Amino acid sequence: MRGRGSARRVRAWAGHRLRVLRDDLWTARADPLPPSVWLRWVPHGAVCLAALGVLIGDTAQLGEHGGLDGGTAFLFALAEAGAMVLALRRPVPAWWLSLGAMALAARLVRGSTADGTLFTWPWTAAGLIAHLFVLLLLALRVPARAALEALALTVLVTWFYTGVLATGAHQPTGALSVALSAVVVALATALRGRREARSALARQTTLTAEERARRTLLEERGRIARELHDVVAHHMSVISIQAQVAPHLVTDPPEELRENLEGIRRNAVEALTELRRVLGVLRSEETGAAGDPLSPGGGGRGTTAGTAGPHAPQPTLDRLDALLENVRAAGLDVTSTTAGERRPLPPGVELSAYRIVQEALSNTLRHAPGATARLHLAYRRDGLEVEVANTRAARRPAPTPGAGHGLLGMRERVAMLGGRMTAGPRADGGYGVTVFLPGTGAYEGEA
């Protein structure tokens, strides 16, 4: 029983290996050789030129020294040269064609070679060169397992000819062909592994950059959410106070009015309590690390962090003068102009405008040392336009840590309010950011 079980396992293993061998080497799928990075199509031209040399050389070797007639020698040489060109696109069929043509030519030459004739056998010099090219192109594009299988079959056929069919006087090429084939396959497999490793590293780098951008986006959205929760909490506090005071403003208010106002106050207090809990969760991971002079709440990269601490009121445009003073104290020469009649805007709009100005000026400090900046606010009937522009940097900026996704936070704020934003280099070599934030519409609709 144990012997039959072992036999079944051996047959199963052999069947599996044959299926793997069939899948690897019994295929005609296309696998084009990609162009070189620097030389583009030069490798393809080199292979075609070598194929022409094989065609000419192998025809002469098989015809003049192998004893074959001119037409037959040319057909075999054409098959071996054609296998080289075919290997550029379909390496596995090309390998079969090359091995088959060499084996059949060696069989015919063996039968027609006279005793005493020294002839390279079983493989001619040109045929061996062609097969090495095919093995190289095969191993560069198929898995290492398939390349080793092709090498093993090549060695097996070579051994069969040199060890079983060898007759007459000839110059043996079997050992040389095995050694060269092994070297070619090892070299090509190593090159393929290096290329795959570089491709994997490039993919990983791309994924890392995308993950970093996604994480930064989530951080910016969380920061915006914290700030807007402050604004909403302020409004809920006002609602609660107004609902509590309203009954005292009316003489003998109806009981229904008292009950409704009490319900409004109670719901506002409950909502305010929940908002404070949410704010506690959102602020639980704030680091408060020092860094950017324009972001006292932390970040060190000109982020849109809080301005004074986790529980300080969120800034509005009324605090722009203080922000500009801080910027000038940090060494940036900035001027400010205002167009239109200044008026209060929704708290979310004012907060976002303040943060955008803060971020833009912080970027100027970091990336354009020695430049001058200009801030322009234009109050329109339907919203607020903010423009921050700087001149060309006077000196090379120092390297700064961080991913540098400040513009991402600006775009998130503008998209949240349904506004528009453009940012990019200016004709004078500087940089400019222009933002329009609607004073009504998307913000009030969401509120």
Side-chain angles (χ1 to χ4, degrees), residues 213-443:
R214 188 183 70 85
R215 185 174 63 250
T216 303
L217 176 62
L218 293 177
E219 291 174 355
E220 293 293 340
R221 288 178 176 176
R223 187 174 295 115
I224 294 170
R226 289 194 294 270
E227 296 174 349
L228 291 182
H229 273 78
D230 282 342
V231 175
V232 174
H234 169 73
H235 287 307
M236 295 303 297
S237 299
V238 173
I239 292 172
S240 174
I241 295 172
Q242 289 177 337
Q244 187 175 6
V245 173
H248 301 286
L249 302 178
V250 180
T251 304
D252 297 327
E255 188 63 27
E256 292 83 359
L257 178 60
R258 288 180 177 274
E259 292 177 356
N260 286 336
L261 290 175
E262 177 61 24
I264 293 174
R265 190 192 70 81
R266 185 169 57 251
N267 290 332
V269 170
E270 292 178 356
L272 184 59
T273 301
E274 295 300 326
L275 277 173
R276 284 171 178 166
R277 290 174 181 170
V278 173
L279 281 172
V281 173
L282 291 175
R283 284 171 170 156
S284 62
E285 297 183 358
E286 286 188 342
T287 59
D292 200 310
L294 303 189
S295 299
R301 289 179 289 161
T303 60
T304 54
T307 57
H311 299 289
Q314 297 299 338
T316 63
L317 292 177
D318 292 334
R319 296 174 56 181
L320 265 184
D321 291 337
L323 174 64
L324 296 180
E325 288 301 322
N326 288 339
V327 172
R328 296 185 181 106
L332 177 62
D333 184 10
V334 56
T335 58
S336 175
T337 58
T338 302
E341 182 180 357
R342 185 167 183 173
R343 66 184 189 277
L345 295 170
V349 174
E350 294 222 359
L351 171 61
S352 295
Y354 180 93
R355 293 302 192 201
I356 289 170
V357 172
Q358 182 186 46
E359 179 65 46
L361 294 177
S362 177
N363 285 341
T364 301
L365 272 173
R366 284 196 313 277
H367 303 301
T372 61
R374 177 177 60 86
L375 167 64
H376 179 69
L377 300 179
Y379 286 85
R380 297 182 179 178
R381 182 180 58 84
D382 54 346
L384 173 68
E385 183 176 274
V386 180
E387 181 183 4
V388 181
N390 62 267
T391 59
R392 183 194 301 271
R395 56 186 181 275
R396 183 182 298 274
T400 57
H405 292 286
L407 290 176
L408 187 147
M410 297 188 199
R411 296 188 189 279
E412 282 295 305
R413 294 181 183 276
V414 173
M416 175 190 66
L417 298 174
R420 301 184 301 274
M421 172 178 169
T422 58
R426 294 161 51 88
D428 60 358
Y431 198 87
V433 176
T434 303
V435 170
F436 175 75
L437 302 175
T440 59
Y443 178 80

Side-chain angles (χ1 to χ4, degrees), residues 90-159:
R90 299 182 185 273
V92 176
W95 174 78
W96 282 110
L97 176 60
S98 175
L99 185 63
M102 284 203 316
L104 186 55
R107 177 65 177 172
L108 294 178
V109 167
R110 171 184 175 273
S112 60
T113 301
D115 292 340
T117 302
L118 291 180
F119 181 73
T120 54
W121 193 87
W123 318 134
T124 62
L128 179 58
I129 292 173
H131 196 66
L132 292 177
F133 263 97
V134 173
L135 273 177
L136 176 67
L137 297 175
L138 174 77
L140 283 174
R141 276 132 62 212
V142 301
R145 182 190 65 244
L148 292 176
E149 291 167 351
L151 175 62
L153 288 178
T154 299
V155 171
L156 181 62
V157 171
T158 303
W159 171 82

